[in-house]
Amino acid sequence: MEKTVIKKDGTKQPFDESKIRKAIAMAVQQTDLPDERRGPIVEQVSNSVIGDLVSKDEVLSSEIRGMILGQLAQLEPSIVESWKKHEATKSSS
């Protein structure tokens, strides 16, 4: 069975792990981190989150967000700030 993500508005869509990687990468790019730290952080967090979701058939998008931000907060809090700034900009447009 295909894994499903339940969006904030209640709609469902197929799980796409590339979206997790892209979202983390975008947040990482907007920080002062050196290039050699960026790739490993994206891989570590995305692999961990995706691994945690393996046993679930459905997952809330907010749950995925929380997992990502929790991991990032432990590794590099500046990325969490970047993520939240991006969200604020996105929701105000």
Side-chain angles (χ1 to χ4, degrees), residues 7 11 37 43 56 89:
K7 306 295 278 184
T11 59
R37 286 230 339 128
E43 285 305 306
K56 298 185 179 204
T89 303

Side-chain angles (χ1 to χ4, degrees), residues 72-92:
L72 290 174
Q74 290 178 351
L75 291 173
E76 193 60 56
S78 66
I79 302 171
V80 175
E81 292 306 312
S82 172
W83 181 292
K84 290 180 178 179
K85 282 181 189 174
H86 176 74
E87 281 182 337
T89 303
K90 198 167 89 173
S91 65
S92 68

